[in-house]
Amino acid sequence: MCQAGVGDARPGQGDSCLLTGGLSAAWIVDGGAQSSVFTTIEVSSAFRGPGFNTGRTMPRLTVGARPAAKGDEEFDDLCFKFGLEIDDIVDDPDKGMTYKIEIGANRYDLLCIEGIARTLRVFLGLETLPKFQVLPAKDPAQYKLIVKPAVAQVRPYVVGAVLRNIKFTQAVYDSFIDLQDKLHHNIARKRTLVAIGTHDLDTITGPFIYDAQPPKEISFVPLNQTEVFRSDVLLEKYTQDLHLREFVPIIKDKPVYPVILDQKGVVLSLPPIINGNHSKITLNTRNVFIECTATDRHKAQIVLDTLICMFSGYCEKPFTAEAVQVEYPDGEKIQYPTLQYRQQETSVSYCNVLTGVEESAESMAKLLQSMSLSAKPTGPDTLMVEVPPTRYDVLHACDVAEDFAVAYGYDRLREDMHLPSTSTIGQEFELNYLSDKMRLLLSQNNYIEVATFSLCSKSDMGEKMKINLDKEPWVKIGNPKTMDFEALRISLLPGILKTVAANKHVSLPLRMFEVADVVVKDSCPIATRGTGARNKRHLCAINYNVKAGMEVVQGLLDNIMVALKVPFTEDGSTKGYYLEGKDYPSFFPGFGATVVVNGSPVGCLGLIHPEVVTSFNLNNPASVLEIDLQKVMEITDFGH
């Protein structure tokens, strides 16, 4: 969608893009853009796949430069003081020194050379943060984005702005393109939420139309191509493209495709896939029209403001952008970019308590200035902080306190910290302590620990286990990405059975266990903290062999109870544990039992039903034990 991709001058690059600019240790510390050669930055903001710790990784900046005058140690020290961490320093004979820096995932202003250089220079006091301004449109009648009703079916929102009289060099151009790539893969969630389009304003005529049309009615020359393609044919072509194929499913099956046109019907872009070649940006471009289509209006505003703040410094009037008015079908008219400066009131004592120091309002305001936050004392215990449009990560007073701690110096916090007047003794959470003890015990019993997904499919948990889920308190995932992750597990057994099936090539017996949480519905607002569901810690072990060997898992149960100092009882006493025969849907009839501890059922033990075995593509019998470890801890005398 941005200039990168199929039509980029650097083909073949994927999620990690190279940026060229003037950033090095010497450039930042000395403040001389002429004092160092160009450098290279690589920003990686990849996503982790489904697993136990799902979510985004922290973006990593790789700052490369030929050896700078100030040396590695000073640059490392500067990054540490700012709260950044240099992962690695690599000396490449061709590229020179390369610094790999971890940055916060929500610091969009640090995803390019311009942002990180400006921020560090403000931190060092070498410059002050510029004042960003929105100027009136040169031609208000032309600088409009008119939204048609049909776009509500695909991407209902759009924002826009104009960078006037910008000067591109190859380095600035590359940085401009790469920042768009990084925003696409970070806040824009691989273009599903926001897609950026940038165009040479002098080649197109406003006002611009944002419409959605049937695929067969959209034809244009895509970026860096010479042939006209119909949009549905173009998407088929891009399913084989290494860079763009991951974006094709976003709109491919929609009845209409979003498209941005100028007044003459020229196609500017087919969001979120690619721009048209007609409005392609080059090094000779002087006026840039930026449009961002989105499913999330707020994130589109963040993306647009970030682009403007990072590159408006290259305009003839630095740090300014011209407004574009967006007109919606219902008559709503909104002007972009916002470049809004927000006021955040913060308590001085609150910041001092969080950081453990004692600073006055005046001192705190001065320190926040180095973090690009203008602050003025409005009372002995209050600060009014002005949050610039580059800092969308500042949402609360605690974010201000975090920046204050960085400016004060993490290395100084410990020696200046004021300890509280009372003291407490910390210890490991008792349930985690018991879980670790059980892991050690089962390992000593020759069981291999596995770690399975907390999410599973409805069929794995119900149909394959011969369980009627209508009678179970299971939690469904809203709008799941795949059928494999549509519910939260209520038992550890399906995951372990799938793990056994994936390891059938290993010699028998296979003995595996897992100690982890399951999730169940609960109507008690106290137990669930208002969520309607709660976690329970379970222990599950399986013995998969040519013979089921129920005595093996029963022996394991005995071993667990000995470790918990719970005696065996045969008379159904309320003190001790015993097995009570009971049929379970997942167990072979007559070969199942309930584990009862101190008069309360805490789990089950049995021989897995042959139909369950075959449904998980297994061909040998298996016996299993699963207990509610959390309940066991509550009704026994277990302690540290």
Side-chain angles (χ1 to χ4, degrees), residues 317-340:
K317 292 183 179 180
F319 311 114
T320 63
E322 290 188 18
V324 169
Q325 183 170 282
V326 178
E327 298 182 357
Y328 285 96
D330 61 359
E332 182 184 17
K333 298 180 180 180
I334 308 175
Q335 179 177 287
Y336 292 100
T338 56
L339 300 183
Q340 180 183 6

mmCIF file with all atom_site columns, all heavy atoms in Angstrom, residues 317-340:
data_model
loop_
_atom_site.group_PDB
_atom_site.id
_atom_site.type_symbol
_atom_site.label_atom_id
_atom_site.label_alt_id
_atom_site.label_comp_id
_atom_site.label_asym_id
_atom_site.label_entity_id
_atom_site.label_seq_id
_atom_site.pdbx_PDB_ins_code
_atom_site.Cartn_x
_atom_site.Cartn_y
_atom_site.Cartn_z
_atom_site.occupancy
_atom_site.B_iso_or_equiv
_atom_site.pdbx_formal_charge
_atom_site.auth_seq_id
_atom_site.auth_comp_id
_atom_site.auth_asym_id
_atom_site.auth_atom_id
_atom_site.pdbx_PDB_model_num
ATOM 1   N N   . LYS A 1 317 ? 8.535   24.895 5.272  1.00 0.00 ? 317 LYS A N   1
ATOM 2   C CA  . LYS A 1 317 ? 8.165   25.392 6.598  1.00 0.00 ? 317 LYS A CA  1
ATOM 3   C C   . LYS A 1 317 ? 8.216   24.197 7.543  1.00 0.00 ? 317 LYS A C   1
ATOM 4   O O   . LYS A 1 317 ? 7.268   23.408 7.589  1.00 0.00 ? 317 LYS A O   1
ATOM 5   C CB  . LYS A 1 317 ? 6.754   25.994 6.585  1.00 0.00 ? 317 LYS A CB  1
ATOM 6   C CG  . LYS A 1 317 ? 6.647   27.279 5.789  1.00 0.00 ? 317 LYS A CG  1
ATOM 7   C CD  . LYS A 1 317 ? 5.232   27.844 5.880  1.00 0.00 ? 317 LYS A CD  1
ATOM 8   C CE  . LYS A 1 317 ? 5.115   29.153 5.110  1.00 0.00 ? 317 LYS A CE  1
ATOM 9   N NZ  . LYS A 1 317 ? 3.732   29.708 5.183  1.00 0.00 ? 317 LYS A NZ  1
ATOM 10  N N   . PRO A 1 318 ? 9.338   24.042 8.254  1.00 0.00 ? 318 PRO A N   1
ATOM 11  C CA  . PRO A 1 318 ? 9.525   22.815 9.046  1.00 0.00 ? 318 PRO A CA  1
ATOM 12  C C   . PRO A 1 318 ? 8.407   22.595 10.061 1.00 0.00 ? 318 PRO A C   1
ATOM 13  O O   . PRO A 1 318 ? 7.850   23.540 10.624 1.00 0.00 ? 318 PRO A O   1
ATOM 14  C CB  . PRO A 1 318 ? 10.869  23.052 9.751  1.00 0.00 ? 318 PRO A CB  1
ATOM 15  C CG  . PRO A 1 318 ? 11.568  24.070 8.908  1.00 0.00 ? 318 PRO A CG  1
ATOM 16  C CD  . PRO A 1 318 ? 10.482  24.953 8.368  1.00 0.00 ? 318 PRO A CD  1
ATOM 17  N N   . PHE A 1 319 ? 8.066   21.328 10.233 1.00 0.00 ? 319 PHE A N   1
ATOM 18  C CA  . PHE A 1 319 ? 7.120   20.860 11.255 1.00 0.00 ? 319 PHE A CA  1
ATOM 19  C C   . PHE A 1 319 ? 5.712   21.412 11.051 1.00 0.00 ? 319 PHE A C   1
ATOM 20  O O   . PHE A 1 319 ? 4.995   21.696 11.997 1.00 0.00 ? 319 PHE A O   1
ATOM 21  C CB  . PHE A 1 319 ? 7.640   21.195 12.656 1.00 0.00 ? 319 PHE A CB  1
ATOM 22  C CG  . PHE A 1 319 ? 9.069   20.788 12.863 1.00 0.00 ? 319 PHE A CG  1
ATOM 23  C CD1 . PHE A 1 319 ? 10.071  21.738 13.054 1.00 0.00 ? 319 PHE A CD1 1
ATOM 24  C CD2 . PHE A 1 319 ? 9.431   19.449 12.821 1.00 0.00 ? 319 PHE A CD2 1
ATOM 25  C CE1 . PHE A 1 319 ? 11.389  21.361 13.220 1.00 0.00 ? 319 PHE A CE1 1
ATOM 26  C CE2 . PHE A 1 319 ? 10.757  19.064 12.986 1.00 0.00 ? 319 PHE A CE2 1
ATOM 27  C CZ  . PHE A 1 319 ? 11.747  20.024 13.179 1.00 0.00 ? 319 PHE A CZ  1
ATOM 28  N N   . THR A 1 320 ? 5.345   21.556 9.774  1.00 0.00 ? 320 THR A N   1
ATOM 29  C CA  . THR A 1 320 ? 3.983   21.962 9.438  1.00 0.00 ? 320 THR A CA  1
ATOM 30  C C   . THR A 1 320 ? 3.403   20.999 8.415  1.00 0.00 ? 320 THR A C   1
ATOM 31  O O   . THR A 1 320 ? 4.135   20.358 7.658  1.00 0.00 ? 320 THR A O   1
ATOM 32  C CB  . THR A 1 320 ? 3.946   23.387 8.848  1.00 0.00 ? 320 THR A CB  1
ATOM 33  O OG1 . THR A 1 320 ? 4.677   23.409 7.613  1.00 0.00 ? 320 THR A OG1 1
ATOM 34  C CG2 . THR A 1 320 ? 4.517   24.400 9.815  1.00 0.00 ? 320 THR A CG2 1
ATOM 35  N N   . ALA A 1 321 ? 2.090   20.898 8.407  1.00 0.00 ? 321 ALA A N   1
ATOM 36  C CA  . ALA A 1 321 ? 1.376   20.096 7.412  1.00 0.00 ? 321 ALA A CA  1
ATOM 37  C C   . ALA A 1 321 ? 0.082   20.808 7.075  1.00 0.00 ? 321 ALA A C   1
ATOM 38  O O   . ALA A 1 321 ? -0.498  21.496 7.930  1.00 0.00 ? 321 ALA A O   1
ATOM 39  C CB  . ALA A 1 321 ? 1.093   18.696 7.946  1.00 0.00 ? 321 ALA A CB  1
ATOM 40  N N   . GLU A 1 322 ? -0.360  20.667 5.825  1.00 0.00 ? 322 GLU A N   1
ATOM 41  C CA  . GLU A 1 322 ? -1.611  21.294 5.412  1.00 0.00 ? 322 GLU A CA  1
ATOM 42  C C   . GLU A 1 322 ? -2.781  20.350 5.666  1.00 0.00 ? 322 GLU A C   1
ATOM 43  O O   . GLU A 1 322 ? -2.658  19.126 5.525  1.00 0.00 ? 322 GLU A O   1
ATOM 44  C CB  . GLU A 1 322 ? -1.548  21.682 3.937  1.00 0.00 ? 322 GLU A CB  1
ATOM 45  C CG  . GLU A 1 322 ? -0.599  22.829 3.675  1.00 0.00 ? 322 GLU A CG  1
ATOM 46  C CD  . GLU A 1 322 ? -0.678  23.327 2.248  1.00 0.00 ? 322 GLU A CD  1
ATOM 47  O OE1 . GLU A 1 322 ? -1.690  23.020 1.557  1.00 0.00 ? 322 GLU A OE1 1
ATOM 48  O OE2 . GLU A 1 322 ? 0.271   23.995 1.808  1.00 0.00 ? 322 GLU A OE2 1
ATOM 49  N N   . ALA A 1 323 ? -3.899  20.942 6.020  1.00 0.00 ? 323 ALA A N   1
ATOM 50  C CA  . ALA A 1 323 ? -5.079  20.172 6.410  1.00 0.00 ? 323 ALA A CA  1
ATOM 51  C C   . ALA A 1 323 ? -5.794  19.582 5.213  1.00 0.00 ? 323 ALA A C   1
ATOM 52  O O   . ALA A 1 323 ? -5.795  20.144 4.118  1.00 0.00 ? 323 ALA A O   1
ATOM 53  C CB  . ALA A 1 323 ? -6.030  21.050 7.209  1.00 0.00 ? 323 ALA A CB  1
ATOM 54  N N   . VAL A 1 324 ? -6.412  18.430 5.447  1.00 0.00 ? 324 VAL A N   1
ATOM 55  C CA  . VAL A 1 324 ? -7.304  17.784 4.484  1.00 0.00 ? 324 VAL A CA  1
ATOM 56  C C   . VAL A 1 324 ? -8.623  17.520 5.203  1.00 0.00 ? 324 VAL A C   1
ATOM 57  O O   . VAL A 1 324 ? -8.631  16.975 6.314  1.00 0.00 ? 324 VAL A O   1
ATOM 58  C CB  . VAL A 1 324 ? -6.707  16.464 3.953  1.00 0.00 ? 324 VAL A CB  1
ATOM 59  C CG1 . VAL A 1 324 ? -7.756  15.688 3.163  1.00 0.00 ? 324 VAL A CG1 1
ATOM 60  C CG2 . VAL A 1 324 ? -5.482  16.728 3.085  1.00 0.00 ? 324 VAL A CG2 1
ATOM 61  N N   . GLN A 1 325 ? -9.714  17.920 4.587  1.00 0.00 ? 325 GLN A N   1
ATOM 62  C CA  . GLN A 1 325 ? -11.034 17.717 5.210  1.00 0.00 ? 325 GLN A CA  1
ATOM 63  C C   . GLN A 1 325 ? -11.663 16.427 4.710  1.00 0.00 ? 325 GLN A C   1
ATOM 64  O O   . GLN A 1 325 ? -11.725 16.180 3.508  1.00 0.00 ? 325 GLN A O   1
ATOM 65  C CB  . GLN A 1 325 ? -11.949 18.899 4.911  1.00 0.00 ? 325 GLN A CB  1
ATOM 66  C CG  . GLN A 1 325 ? -13.318 18.789 5.583  1.00 0.00 ? 325 GLN A CG  1
ATOM 67  C CD  . GLN A 1 325 ? -14.115 20.061 5.470  1.00 0.00 ? 325 GLN A CD  1
ATOM 68  O OE1 . GLN A 1 325 ? -13.895 21.029 6.175  1.00 0.00 ? 325 GLN A OE1 1
ATOM 69  N NE2 . GLN A 1 325 ? -15.070 20.077 4.540  1.00 0.00 ? 325 GLN A NE2 1
ATOM 70  N N   . VAL A 1 326 ? -12.130 15.609 5.656  1.00 0.00 ? 326 VAL A N   1
ATOM 71  C CA  . VAL A 1 326 ? -12.805 14.355 5.329  1.00 0.00 ? 326 VAL A CA  1
ATOM 72  C C   . VAL A 1 326 ? -14.306 14.552 5.514  1.00 0.00 ? 326 VAL A C   1
ATOM 73  O O   . VAL A 1 326 ? -14.748 14.978 6.592  1.00 0.00 ? 326 VAL A O   1
ATOM 74  C CB  . VAL A 1 326 ? -12.297 13.206 6.224  1.00 0.00 ? 326 VAL A CB  1
ATOM 75  C CG1 . VAL A 1 326 ? -13.045 11.916 5.896  1.00 0.00 ? 326 VAL A CG1 1
ATOM 76  C CG2 . VAL A 1 326 ? -10.798 13.011 6.055  1.00 0.00 ? 326 VAL A CG2 1
ATOM 77  N N   . GLU A 1 327 ? -15.069 14.263 4.476  1.00 0.00 ? 327 GLU A N   1
ATOM 78  C CA  . GLU A 1 327 ? -16.524 14.438 4.522  1.00 0.00 ? 327 GLU A CA  1
ATOM 79  C C   . GLU A 1 327 ? -17.205 13.073 4.421  1.00 0.00 ? 327 GLU A C   1
ATOM 80  O O   . GLU A 1 327 ? -17.049 12.370 3.419  1.00 0.00 ? 327 GLU A O   1
ATOM 81  C CB  . GLU A 1 327 ? -16.988 15.347 3.373  1.00 0.00 ? 327 GLU A CB  1
ATOM 82  C CG  . GLU A 1 327 ? -16.405 16.748 3.449  1.00 0.00 ? 327 GLU A CG  1
ATOM 83  C CD  . GLU A 1 327 ? -16.894 17.656 2.333  1.00 0.00 ? 327 GLU A CD  1
ATOM 84  O OE1 . GLU A 1 327 ? -17.658 17.148 1.471  1.00 0.00 ? 327 GLU A OE1 1
ATOM 85  O OE2 . GLU A 1 327 ? -16.527 18.838 2.310  1.00 0.00 ? 327 GLU A OE2 1
ATOM 86  N N   . TYR A 1 328 ? -17.941 12.702 5.479  1.00 0.00 ? 328 TYR A N   1
ATOM 87  C CA  . TYR A 1 328 ? -18.621 11.410 5.533  1.00 0.00 ? 328 TYR A CA  1
ATOM 88  C C   . TYR A 1 328 ? -20.047 11.519 4.993  1.00 0.00 ? 328 TYR A C   1
ATOM 89  O O   . TYR A 1 328 ? -20.618 12.616 4.937  1.00 0.00 ? 328 TYR A O   1
ATOM 90  C CB  . TYR A 1 328 ? -18.624 10.888 6.963  1.00 0.00 ? 328 TYR A CB  1
ATOM 91  C CG  . TYR A 1 328 ? -17.270 10.365 7.401  1.00 0.00 ? 328 TYR A CG  1
ATOM 92  C CD1 . TYR A 1 328 ? -16.387 11.168 8.116  1.00 0.00 ? 328 TYR A CD1 1
ATOM 93  C CD2 . TYR A 1 328 ? -16.870 9.064  7.075  1.00 0.00 ? 328 TYR A CD2 1
ATOM 94  C CE1 . TYR A 1 328 ? -15.141 10.690 8.500  1.00 0.00 ? 328 TYR A CE1 1
ATOM 95  C CE2 . TYR A 1 328 ? -15.631 8.576  7.460  1.00 0.00 ? 328 TYR A CE2 1
ATOM 96  C CZ  . TYR A 1 328 ? -14.770 9.393  8.172  1.00 0.00 ? 328 TYR A CZ  1
ATOM 97  O OH  . TYR A 1 328 ? -13.540 8.923  8.541  1.00 0.00 ? 328 TYR A OH  1
ATOM 98  N N   . PRO A 1 329 ? -20.635 10.388 4.602  1.00 0.00 ? 329 PRO A N   1
ATOM 99  C CA  . PRO A 1 329 ? -21.988 10.412 4.011  1.00 0.00 ? 329 PRO A CA  1
ATOM 100 C C   . PRO A 1 329 ? -23.056 11.007 4.915  1.00 0.00 ? 329 PRO A C   1
ATOM 101 O O   . PRO A 1 329 ? -24.042 11.556 4.431  1.00 0.00 ? 329 PRO A O   1
ATOM 102 C CB  . PRO A 1 329 ? -22.280 8.926  3.730  1.00 0.00 ? 329 PRO A CB  1
ATOM 103 C CG  . PRO A 1 329 ? -20.937 8.276  3.644  1.00 0.00 ? 329 PRO A CG  1
ATOM 104 C CD  . PRO A 1 329 ? -20.055 9.031  4.577  1.00 0.00 ? 329 PRO A CD  1
ATOM 105 N N   . ASP A 1 330 ? -22.877 10.902 6.225  1.00 0.00 ? 330 ASP A N   1
ATOM 106 C CA  . ASP A 1 330 ? -23.889 11.420 7.156  1.00 0.00 ? 330 ASP A CA  1
ATOM 107 C C   . ASP A 1 330 ? -23.737 12.915 7.409  1.00 0.00 ? 330 ASP A C   1
ATOM 108 O O   . ASP A 1 330 ? -24.434 13.481 8.259  1.00 0.00 ? 330 ASP A O   1
ATOM 109 C CB  . ASP A 1 330 ? -23.828 10.655 8.477  1.00 0.00 ? 330 ASP A CB  1
ATOM 110 C CG  . ASP A 1 330 ? -22.473 10.783 9.170  1.00 0.00 ? 330 ASP A CG  1
ATOM 111 O OD1 . ASP A 1 330 ? -21.569 11.442 8.617  1.00 0.00 ? 330 ASP A OD1 1
ATOM 112 O OD2 . ASP A 1 330 ? -22.315 10.208 10.270 1.00 0.00 ? 330 ASP A OD2 1
ATOM 113 N N   . GLY A 1 331 ? -22.815 13.561 6.683  1.00 0.00 ? 331 GLY A N   1
ATOM 114 C CA  . GLY A 1 331 ? -22.627 14.995 6.845  1.00 0.00 ? 331 GLY A CA  1
ATOM 115 C C   . GLY A 1 331 ? -21.507 15.378 7.791  1.00 0.00 ? 331 GLY A C   1
ATOM 116 O O   . GLY A 1 331 ? -21.158 16.559 7.904  1.00 0.00 ? 331 GLY A O   1
ATOM 117 N N   . GLU A 1 332 ? -20.930 14.412 8.486  1.00 0.00 ? 332 GLU A N   1
ATOM 118 C CA  . GLU A 1 332 ? -19.831 14.696 9.417  1.00 0.00 ? 332 GLU A CA  1
ATOM 119 C C   . GLU A 1 332 ? -18.595 15.152 8.634  1.00 0.00 ? 332 GLU A C   1
ATOM 120 O O   . GLU A 1 332 ? -18.214 14.549 7.634  1.00 0.00 ? 332 GLU A O   1
ATOM 121 C CB  . GLU A 1 332 ? -19.505 13.448 10.237 1.00 0.00 ? 332 GLU A CB  1
ATOM 122 C CG  . GLU A 1 332 ? -18.406 13.674 11.270 1.00 0.00 ? 332 GLU A CG  1
ATOM 123 C CD  . GLU A 1 332 ? -18.035 12.407 12.010 1.00 0.00 ? 332 GLU A CD  1
ATOM 124 O OE1 . GLU A 1 332 ? -18.382 11.311 11.518 1.00 0.00 ? 332 GLU A OE1 1
ATOM 125 O OE2 . GLU A 1 332 ? -17.408 12.497 13.071 1.00 0.00 ? 332 GLU A OE2 1
ATOM 126 N N   . LYS A 1 333 ? -17.977 16.234 9.103  1.00 0.00 ? 333 LYS A N   1
ATOM 127 C CA  . LYS A 1 333 ? -16.768 16.770 8.490  1.00 0.00 ? 333 LYS A CA  1
ATOM 128 C C   . LYS A 1 333 ? -15.666 16.869 9.537  1.00 0.00 ? 333 LYS A C   1
ATOM 129 O O   . LYS A 1 333 ? -15.871 17.497 10.582 1.00 0.00 ? 333 LYS A O   1
ATOM 130 C CB  . LYS A 1 333 ? -17.040 18.144 7.867  1.00 0.00 ? 333 LYS A CB  1
ATOM 131 C CG  . LYS A 1 333 ? -18.066 18.122 6.739  1.00 0.00 ? 333 LYS A CG  1
ATOM 132 C CD  . LYS A 1 333 ? -18.300 19.510 6.169  1.00 0.00 ? 333 LYS A CD  1
ATOM 133 C CE  . LYS A 1 333 ? -19.332 19.477 5.045  1.00 0.00 ? 333 LYS A CE  1
ATOM 134 N NZ  . LYS A 1 333 ? -19.567 20.829 4.476  1.00 0.00 ? 333 LYS A NZ  1
ATOM 135 N N   . ILE A 1 334 ? -14.532 16.247 9.250  1.00 0.00 ? 334 ILE A N   1
ATOM 136 C CA  . ILE A 1 334 ? -13.415 16.236 10.196 1.00 0.00 ? 334 ILE A CA  1
ATOM 137 C C   . ILE A 1 334 ? -12.151 16.659 9.467  1.00 0.00 ? 334 ILE A C   1
ATOM 138 O O   . ILE A 1 334 ? -11.895 16.221 8.342  1.00 0.00 ? 334 ILE A O   1
ATOM 139 C CB  . ILE A 1 334 ? -13.201 14.838 10.822 1.00 0.00 ? 334 ILE A CB  1
ATOM 140 C CG1 . ILE A 1 334 ? -14.499 14.296 11.404 1.00 0.00 ? 334 ILE A CG1 1
ATOM 141 C CG2 . ILE A 1 334 ? -12.132 14.880 11.895 1.00 0.00 ? 334 ILE A CG2 1
ATOM 142 C CD1 . ILE A 1 334 ? -14.395 12.883 11.936 1.00 0.00 ? 334 ILE A CD1 1
ATOM 143 N N   . GLN A 1 335 ? -11.357 17.506 10.126 1.00 0.00 ? 335 GLN A N   1
ATOM 144 C CA  . GLN A 1 335 ? -10.107 17.980 9.532  1.00 0.00 ? 335 GLN A CA  1
ATOM 145 C C   . GLN A 1 335 ? -8.925  17.191 10.100 1.00 0.00 ? 335 GLN A C   1
ATOM 146 O O   . GLN A 1 335 ? -8.822  16.993 11.301 1.00 0.00 ? 335 GLN A O   1
ATOM 147 C CB  . GLN A 1 335 ? -9.921  19.472 9.819  1.00 0.00 ? 335 GLN A CB  1
ATOM 148 C CG  . GLN A 1 335 ? -8.627  20.048 9.247  1.00 0.00 ? 335 GLN A CG  1
ATOM 149 C CD  . GLN A 1 335 ? -8.507  21.540 9.497  1.00 0.00 ? 335 GLN A CD  1
ATOM 150 O OE1 . GLN A 1 335 ? -9.203  22.332 8.862  1.00 0.00 ? 335 GLN A OE1 1
ATOM 151 N NE2 . GLN A 1 335 ? -7.638  21.930 10.416 1.00 0.00 ? 335 GLN A NE2 1
ATOM 152 N N   . TYR A 1 336 ? -8.057  16.744 9.214  1.00 0.00 ? 336 TYR A N   1
ATOM 153 C CA  . TYR A 1 336 ? -6.839  16.024 9.600  1.00 0.00 ? 336 TYR A CA  1
ATOM 154 C C   . TYR A 1 336 ? -5.643  16.701 8.943  1.00 0.00 ? 336 TYR A C   1
ATOM 155 O O   . TYR A 1 336 ? -5.785  17.366 7.916  1.00 0.00 ? 336 TYR A O   1
ATOM 156 C CB  . TYR A 1 336 ? -6.931  14.561 9.156  1.00 0.00 ? 336 TYR A CB  1
ATOM 157 C CG  . TYR A 1 336 ? -7.973  13.750 9.894  1.00 0.00 ? 336 TYR A CG  1
ATOM 158 C CD1 . TYR A 1 336 ? -9.215  13.505 9.311  1.00 0.00 ? 336 TYR A CD1 1
ATOM 159 C CD2 . TYR A 1 336 ? -7.717  13.243 11.162 1.00 0.00 ? 336 TYR A CD2 1
ATOM 160 C CE1 . TYR A 1 336 ? -10.176 12.759 9.977  1.00 0.00 ? 336 TYR A CE1 1
ATOM 161 C CE2 . TYR A 1 336 ? -8.677  12.504 11.837 1.00 0.00 ? 336 TYR A CE2 1
ATOM 162 C CZ  . TYR A 1 336 ? -9.903  12.265 11.244 1.00 0.00 ? 336 TYR A CZ  1
ATOM 163 O OH  . TYR A 1 336 ? -10.842 11.527 11.909 1.00 0.00 ? 336 TYR A OH  1
ATOM 164 N N   . PRO A 1 337 ? -4.424  16.542 9.535  1.00 0.00 ? 337 PRO A N   1
ATOM 165 C CA  . PRO A 1 337 ? -4.103  15.806 10.762 1.00 0.00 ? 337 PRO A CA  1
ATOM 166 C C   . PRO A 1 337 ? -4.516  16.611 11.997 1.00 0.00 ? 337 PRO A C   1
ATOM 167 O O   . PRO A 1 337 ? -4.699  17.825 11.912 1.00 0.00 ? 337 PRO A O   1
ATOM 168 C CB  . PRO A 1 337 ? -2.582  15.668 10.681 1.00 0.00 ? 337 PRO A CB  1
ATOM 169 C CG  . PRO A 1 337 ? -2.150  16.882 9.937  1.00 0.00 ? 337 PRO A CG  1
ATOM 170 C CD  . PRO A 1 337 ? -3.225  17.144 8.928  1.00 0.00 ? 337 PRO A CD  1
ATOM 171 N N   . THR A 1 338 ? -4.637  15.950 13.110 1.00 0.00 ? 338 THR A N   1
ATOM 172 C CA  . THR A 1 338 ? -5.031  16.638 14.338 1.00 0.00 ? 338 THR A CA  1
ATOM 173 C C   . THR A 1 338 ? -3.826  17.313 14.998 1.00 0.00 ? 338 THR A C   1
ATOM 174 O O   . THR A 1 338 ? -3.911  18.453 15.443 1.00 0.00 ? 338 THR A O   1
ATOM 175 C CB  . THR A 1 338 ? -5.675  15.659 15.324 1.00 0.00 ? 338 THR A CB  1
ATOM 176 O OG1 . THR A 1 338 ? -4.773  14.586 15.582 1.00 0.00 ? 338 THR A OG1 1
ATOM 177 C CG2 . THR A 1 338 ? -6.966  15.113 14.773 1.00 0.00 ? 338 THR A CG2 1
ATOM 178 N N   . LEU A 1 339 ? -2.700  16.601 15.081 1.00 0.00 ? 339 LEU A N   1
ATOM 179 C CA  . LEU A 1 339 ? -1.487  17.118 15.750 1.00 0.00 ? 339 LEU A CA  1
ATOM 180 C C   . LEU A 1 339 ? -1.852  17.763 17.088 1.00 0.00 ? 339 LEU A C   1
ATOM 181 O O   . LEU A 1 339 ? -1.444  18.876 17.412 1.00 0.00 ? 339 LEU A O   1
ATOM 182 C CB  . LEU A 1 339 ? -0.748  18.107 14.855 1.00 0.00 ? 339 LEU A CB  1
ATOM 183 C CG  . LEU A 1 339 ? -0.251  17.568 13.502 1.00 0.00 ? 339 LEU A CG  1
ATOM 184 C CD1 . LEU A 1 339 ? 0.517   18.641 12.759 1.00 0.00 ? 339 LEU A CD1 1
ATOM 185 C CD2 . LEU A 1 339 ? 0.609   16.326 13.682 1.00 0.00 ? 339 LEU A CD2 1
ATOM 186 N N   . GLN A 1 340 ? -2.647  17.041 17.842 1.00 0.00 ? 340 GLN A N   1
ATOM 187 C CA  . GLN A 1 340 ? -3.219  17.585 19.073 1.00 0.00 ? 340 GLN A CA  1
ATOM 188 C C   . GLN A 1 340 ? -2.219  17.519 20.228 1.00 0.00 ? 340 GLN A C   1
ATOM 189 O O   . GLN A 1 340 ? -1.560  16.507 20.454 1.00 0.00 ? 340 GLN A O   1
ATOM 190 C CB  . GLN A 1 340 ? -4.478  16.800 19.450 1.00 0.00 ? 340 GLN A CB  1
ATOM 191 C CG  . GLN A 1 340 ? -5.153  17.277 20.718 1.00 0.00 ? 340 GLN A CG  1
ATOM 192 C CD  . GLN A 1 340 ? -6.357  16.420 21.077 1.00 0.00 ? 340 GLN A CD  1
ATOM 193 O OE1 . GLN A 1 340 ? -6.603  15.406 20.431 1.00 0.00 ? 340 GLN A OE1 1
ATOM 194 N NE2 . GLN A 1 340 ? -7.092  16.804 22.095 1.00 0.00 ? 340 GLN A NE2 1
#
